[in-house]
Each structure stands twice: as C-alpha cells, then as structure tokens.
Amino acid sequence: MLEQLKKDLNKLASPEKAKLYQRFFKTGKGEYGEGDKFIGLTMPEQRAIAKDYLNLSLPKIQELLKNKIHEYRMTGLVILVNKYKKANEKDREEIFNFYLNNAKNINNWDLVDVTCPKIMGNFLLDKNKKILYTLVHSENLWEKRIAIISTMAFIDNGEFEDTLAISELLLKDKHDLIHKAVGWMLREVGKKDESVLKKFLREHYKDLPRTTLRYSIERFPEKERKKWLKGEFK
C-alpha cells in the first residue's frame, strides 16, 4: 500500500512547482527548511490521494514522516488527521502520542499548521496541557511552533488562557517563524474577543517583536493599526 501511495504522488509530480516550493519554503543552506525536498504537488492533490489511504498503518505513516520528500510527509500527516477524526478515544490517544513522538519530522511550518491543531490541540482540549509547556522550551523550532499553533483548537473553543501564557513565554524567542505564529494566534484570539487581545498587547507591548505585533493587529482599522505601531494606543 505504501509503495502505491508513493507512485500516486509521483504521478502528479511537477518539477516546475517543485522549484517554486524549494524557494518558498526556504530549503537553501542555512535556511529553516534546509534539506527539504519537493516533488511539486498542491495541497488539494495531496488531500485527494490521502483519502484513499485511510487504512495505512502507523508504522507505514512513520516511514513517510522519515522521508526527505516534503509531500510524502505532508500526505502522511493528512492521513493521520483523517484517521484521528474517525478514531475512538483510545485510538486518538495512540495517534496523539505517535504525533508527539514524530514531532521532529514535522519540520516545516505548513506541516505543523495544517495538522497540529486537529490532533494535538483537539486531543488536549479537555486534558492537562503540560506537554505544550514542555515543547515551548524545546530547542527545536518546530516543537515550539507546535506548542503555540496547537492552541488554535482552544481558541476555537473560546479558551484563551493557554494561548496567552504560551505567547508570553515565546515573546523573547529569536526566530521569525515563532514571531509570526504567536502573532497569528493572538489575532485569532482577537477575532473571538478583541478586548482580551488588546489587554495582552498593552501589558506586553515593550517585549512584542514587531512581526508579532503586525500579525496580531492585522484586522484592526488602518488608523488604529498605525497608532499601535507607533505606540500611541490608549
């Protein structure tokens, strides 16, 4: 089944798109996606193929996650999300632990963003969130991004406490991808309750990376955005 999946993916490979993706996902030497390989499939193409492989076993999915080809890892993760949606509580726990154990192979921002709220976040909704605070302190960029992006599931459920706490812990992080992730999650909080977002921004304004601030206030009216950027907020 795994070899057929790879054949299905390879049939849709596009060298032209692969070149674009290599640049877009920063795969050059010293960049965050260094070593990542693309064959040039779109997300809709990968989702369509993933639907046919719901029964792919976790060991086979792990083989995909260890592969250097980005689309193999993404398709494996989409299959994992699909399996999680249909699983009972016991199997969901197994998938959650599998995801966590393979976190270092979920090693580009799209792989994290498309999948972690639907597995990590969803599973932890009614459970202890301690693991996210462990991931926050990881030296691995992607584990830190998983920690904050997983809280999207909590935000969707009207719960902001962990998003705000994890955002605060990441304010001093040096990586632009973390600045963007925190800003994005803060913006999502603001969609639910703008007063909560503004209170956080006021309290932490001096420590906010510029990128985080810009992302978090994207939905504000232009005039108000300019005031926040100048520090002229009330």
Side-chain angles (χ1 to χ4, degrees):
M1 185 179 278
L2 179 59
E3 291 310 310
Q4 185 58 50
L5 169 57
K6 290 179 180 178
K7 287 179 182 178
D8 289 347
L9 291 170
N10 291 336
K11 281 178 188 175
L12 297 177
S14 166
E16 294 78 16
K17 287 177 185 172
K19 288 179 183 178
L20 292 174
Y21 295 160
Q22 294 280 152
R23 290 195 295 271
F24 183 72
F25 287 100
K26 307 294 184 185
T27 62
K29 187 172 178 58
E31 295 182 308
Y32 63 73
E34 181 178 353
D36 210 348
K37 305 294 182 185
F38 287 81
I39 56 175
L41 274 76
T42 65
M43 272 307 302
E45 288 171 336
Q46 292 172 80
R47 289 189 189 281
I49 290 172
K51 287 180 181 178
D52 294 329
Y53 291 90
L54 182 64
N55 294 323
L56 194 69
S57 69
L58 293 184
K60 295 299 183 184
I61 291 175
Q62 188 165 41
E63 286 186 45
L64 290 173
L65 294 181
K66 289 181 176 180
N67 198 289
K68 287 189 175 182
I69 295 177
H70 188 98
E71 291 89 346
Y72 285 12
R73 301 199 307 284
M74 176 62 90
T75 303
L77 288 167
V78 172
I79 294 169
L80 197 64
V81 169
N82 292 344
K83 289 173 82 73
Y84 181 89
K85 287 176 181 177
K86 294 183 177 294
N88 58 35
E89 186 63 19
K90 181 182 176 182
D91 290 342
R92 284 187 170 193
E93 183 174 8
E94 183 181 11
I95 291 170
F96 168 84
N97 288 324
F98 175 87
Y99 189 96
L100 188 59
N101 291 334
N102 284 278
K104 287 183 172 61
N105 295 317
I106 305 170
N107 55 355
N108 217 314
W109 58 263
D110 62 323
L111 302 175
V112 172
D113 297 359
V114 167
T115 63
C116 74
K118 296 173 182 176
I119 296 178
M120 292 282 294
N122 182 276
F123 185 78
L124 292 172
L125 265 175
D126 58 352
K127 298 176 182 67
N128 189 298
K129 316 292 195 292
K130 183 179 178 181
I131 184 60
L132 297 183
Y133 292 86
T134 300
L135 294 177
V136 162
H137 296 291
S138 171
E139 293 184 3
N140 182 279
L141 166 64
W142 309 115
E143 290 187 343
K144 286 190 285 189
R145 189 166 174 111
I146 286 171
I148 183 63
I149 300 297
S150 290
T151 71
M152 171 73 84
F154 311 157
I155 297 169
D156 288 343
N157 203 46
E159 301 170 14
F160 312 134
E161 180 181 350
D162 293 292
T163 302
L164 299 178
I166 292 172
S167 292
E168 185 175 354
L169 290 171
L170 289 172
L171 288 182
K172 298 252 175 89
D173 195 90
K174 303 299 183 185
H175 205 289
D176 186 58
L177 282 178
I178 297 299
H179 299 171
K180 290 176 178 178
V182 171
W184 174 23
M185 290 302 100
L186 290 175
R187 185 174 74 237
E188 294 302 313
V189 169
K191 288 181 185 179
K192 295 281 189 179
D193 192 329
E194 196 172 275
S195 65
V196 173
L197 169 59
K198 288 182 176 179
K199 182 175 185 290
F200 182 90
L201 295 179
R202 289 190 190 99
E203 290 176 352
H204 300 284
Y205 189 83
K206 290 182 180 179
D207 295 321
L208 283 170
R210 201 67 170 173
T211 299
T212 298
L213 177 61
R214 287 185 180 278
Y215 269 58
S216 65
I217 63 174
E218 271 184 357
R219 289 172 57 86
F220 289 9
E222 183 178 359
K223 190 174 181 180
E224 186 176 1
R225 283 203 312 274
K226 288 180 178 178
K227 286 184 177 180
W228 277 96
L229 291 170
K230 292 177 182 177
E232 297 174 351
F233 53 88
K234 293 182 180 179

